[in-house]
Amino acid sequence: KNKKDEKDWDTYAKMLAAGDSDLHVSRTCWCLWFFLASVAVWIITGILCYLIDIRYHCKNSVLVIANLGTTASVVLSMSAAVRIIPHLAASPTFKCHNIVFIALIYAFSYVTTQFDMDSSTLSPIMTMSDTDKSGIFYNDGSDQQLVTPYPACSMTWGSEKTQVRILDLAAMAYYAYSGNSSNFDYMLEQSFGKNAKRVFFDEYDIVPRIVAARHCAEGADRKDDSCTLIMSVKGISNKLDVMTFMGIFSTVMIMQTFDTIFPLLSTVPKRLVVHIISMFRLPTVKDLQDKYITKLEETMGQLQTSFPNDGIVFTGHGTDGLFAELAGARMGLPAVGFSAPGQFYMMATYGIGEEEIAENVMTVVPSMDAVPWVAKHVDILQRIVCRRANGMHSTPAQCHSIRKIACELWRVCGDVNNRNFLEACLLIDPSTFVKEALVSTNCIGQQFSKKRNATCRIVSDR
């Protein structure tokens, strides 16, 4: 206790160490050196990543170096913390927290490698071709031997003269991923004929990325004619989109995760949670959210000025489908999202009430897809089945695919315009990691069943 007497201090230190296994006697304090080493590793990692990205443009190498550097920096910081605050940092809980943090870094890095889509050569969801009629099917609900169509399949949107249906919106949500205008125009012509024209097309890397097409009756495509204008917002397709999604929805995801362990959200008034999330938004996240809605509203304003008599529909896939829904609700226009997160915790941010959501918005939710479970939905939900062609459950990533969603809607409902879905749904797409068709011919218009003699059997995989 008496620092002037070195012998007494050593005796006191040994006595403390004997009573606590987390303590040991040392005449050198390494905490500052570990902390400085951690900072140095972090700086060197940033410099290396920058140089490799600028000179070699090798994203994978940058990702590996960033992960290794982050791991080393975390380990060094943990070593410094153990020496500064051993009563806290030496505990198993603290160590587990760091291990989980490092594991999440690697998991998130792996996820980002799965979202680089080849957007230059997308193929159309449906075509006007009738050379092979195996991809042409329509179920109006009158045939008792066919499965009951999804209710959303009978809904229509847009101008009375050129109404569009759920498959048209699903196709437009997919075509928003097209990387160039010529490919986009080609898919429009293949799916809708010459009466659908591109009227807005953002660059691919812009966030949010918006495309729009105008669907008119034959011979009625003047600016003052009454057509249907579909504005589509691109979903997650690259690492920037993943980071944007995490930045906007990380708070809600963390709160939902803790709520499964410690029921918090279910005991606190929902509106209070909404206002807390809105109040504590980071400035960067706030600017990003405001940018989304502002861009959508400005673009829609331009299109409404150019085509004042058109019926307008918002659509989009995934995260950006949510912002299409929110923009539609704010402007009093119909919006259909595919695999979009819930709107409830974002309503206060944009001054939207539950009434506007309920009256204007619908979301298509595939089973096994995790994204629509983020936040809470207050809109109309059309739940759909998501199974592989062999009857087994699809993976969450497959269920989130807009192509898979469109093919499931076609499998059950068919297409009232008798367009051909052969290539998209019944044939194997060599450009994807899924080496099987999205739909089995045995399951077209049939209900998945566990019966042994069923045409379309469910395979138990749980």
Side-chain angles (χ1 to χ4, degrees):
K1 294 172 66 174
N2 184 2
K3 294 184 179 181
K4 295 182 180 180
D5 190 337
E6 185 176 344
K7 184 176 180 180
D8 288 347
W9 178 245
D10 286 343
T11 302
Y12 179 68
K14 291 177 181 178
M15 181 185 69
L16 291 176
D20 192 336
S21 59
D22 289 329
L23 300 177
H24 66 277
V25 180
S26 175
R27 293 180 176 275
T28 306
C29 181
W30 292 95
C31 55
L32 178 61
W33 294 106
F34 277 113
F35 175 74
L36 293 176
S38 173
V39 174
V41 169
W42 183 254
I43 294 174
I44 293 172
T45 300
I47 294 173
L48 286 175
C49 290
Y50 176 78
L51 293 176
I52 292 174
D53 186 38
I54 293 297
R55 183 165 182 176
Y56 299 105
H57 304 288
C58 184
K59 302 297 183 183
N60 290 334
S61 297
V62 171
L63 200 60
V64 170
I65 292 174
N67 284 335
L68 293 176
T70 302
T71 302
S73 181
V74 170
V75 171
L76 291 169
S77 297
M78 186 169 61
S79 300
V82 167
R83 286 160 176 78
I84 297 174
I85 45 175
H87 58 284
L88 175 64
S91 66
T93 302
F94 185 83
K95 293 178 181 178
C96 288
H97 174 273
N98 283 277
I99 293 172
V100 170
F101 177 74
I102 293 173
L104 288 175
I105 290 175
Y106 282 90
F108 180 72
S109 298
Y110 172 76
V111 169
T112 60
T113 64
Q114 306 300 308
F115 285 96
D116 279 328
M117 177 185 291
D118 183 9
S119 59
S120 59
T121 57
L122 295 184
S123 57
I125 292 285
M126 62 272 198
T127 67
M128 310 291 286
S129 171
D130 60 355
T131 54
D132 187 338
K133 295 188 177 181
S134 60
I136 299 175
F137 163 70
Y138 178 55
N139 176 14
D140 62 0
S142 61
D143 191 341
Q144 298 298 315
Q145 295 183 346
L146 298 179
V147 64
T148 303
Y150 292 121
C153 295
S154 60
M155 299 176 66
T156 59
W157 294 267
S159 169
E160 183 178 353
K161 295 181 179 179
T162 53
Q163 293 180 336
V164 295
R165 294 178 176 256
I166 192 72
L167 280 172
D168 302 317
L169 299 179
M172 280 297 298
Y174 176 64
Y175 297 165
Y177 290 94
S178 177
N180 57 73
S181 57
S182 59
N183 177 244
F184 181 76
D185 292 341
Y186 166 76
M187 291 191 294
L188 281 182
E189 183 175 350
Q190 288 293 306
S191 297
F192 304 103
K194 296 185 180 298
N195 297 323
K197 301 293 183 182
R198 165 175 51 93
V199 292
F200 192 87
F201 194 83
D202 266 335
E203 293 297 324
Y204 189 78
D205 293 329
I206 291 179
V207 178
R209 197 281 177 99
I210 302 171
V211 300
R214 191 170 184 242
H215 301 250
C216 298
E218 188 172 352
D221 57 353
R222 295 175 302 178
K223 287 190 174 183
D224 57 346
D225 285 328
S226 180
C227 303
T228 295
L229 196 152
I230 304 176
M231 196 169 94
S232 179
V233 191
K234 180 179 73 69
I236 295 177
S237 62
N238 53 45
K239 298 177 180 63
L240 177 60
D241 294 332
V242 177
M243 297 297 291
T244 302
F245 171 78
M246 296 300 292
I248 293 175
F249 292 100
S250 57
T251 302
V252 176
M253 293 168 66
I254 290 172
M255 292 180 70
Q256 284 185 304
T257 302
F258 275 103
D259 188 53
T260 60
I261 304 172
F262 307 104
L264 172 65
L265 299 182
S266 57
T267 58
V268 177
K270 293 290 189 296
R271 294 193 179 276
L272 176 61
V273 177
V274 168
H275 287 289
I276 290 175
I277 293 175
S278 178
M279 186 183 304
F280 288 97
R281 285 186 303 164
L282 293 174
T284 52
V285 174
K286 180 180 183 299
D287 292 342
L288 184 60
Q289 291 176 339
D290 293 343
K291 175 185 175 183
Y292 263 81
I293 295 297
T294 301
K295 172 75 181 298
L296 287 166
E297 290 180 337
E298 289 178 351
T299 304
M300 182 52 66
Q302 297 172 14
L303 294 173
Q304 283 181 318
T305 301
S306 300
F307 311 105
N309 297 321
D310 282 6
I312 299 172
V313 189
F314 284 95
T315 191
H317 173 238
T319 314
D320 296 70
L322 167 63
F323 286 100
E325 294 175 347
L326 293 172
R330 272 191 28 149
M331 301 180 71
L333 296 170
V336 178
F338 297 89
S339 290
Q343 312 90 7
F344 189 81
Y345 298 116
M346 304 286 284
M347 292 192 305
T349 301
Y350 300 112
I352 302 172
E354 292 187 43
E355 295 77 12
E356 289 93 333
I357 297 288
E359 293 169 355
N360 296 288
V361 177
M362 183 180 78
T363 303
V364 178
V365 179
S367 61
M368 306 300 293
D369 187 1
V371 174
W373 287 91
V374 176
K376 177 188 175 184
H377 282 273
V378 293
D379 59 332
I380 299 172
L381 295 183
Q382 174 59 74
R383 300 188 183 276
I384 64 174
V385 175
C386 182
R387 287 187 176 271
R388 295 165 55 187
N390 61 7
M392 298 179 66
H393 280 293
S394 295
T395 65
Q398 293 170 355
C399 291
H400 188 68
S401 164
I402 184 62
R403 281 171 60 96
K404 177 68 174 174
I405 295 170
C407 287
E408 171 58 20
L409 290 169
W410 173 78
R411 182 191 72 82
V412 173
C413 304
D415 179 36
V416 67
N417 295 311
N418 288 321
R419 288 168 292 190
N420 201 321
F421 285 72
L422 173 67
E423 292 187 10
C425 303
L426 301 179
L427 300 181
I428 299 175
D429 186 355
S431 65
T432 64
F433 63 91
V434 181
K435 303 306 179 184
E436 64 181 13
L438 296 179
V439 174
S440 168
T441 54
N442 293 331
C443 293
I444 298 175
Q446 300 298 314
Q447 182 175 348
F448 278 104
S449 174
K450 294 182 179 180
K451 297 179 181 179
R452 291 190 176 184
N453 61 345
T455 304
C456 185
R457 286 196 63 193
I458 288 177
V459 176
S460 179
D461 53 357
R462 291 187 177 179

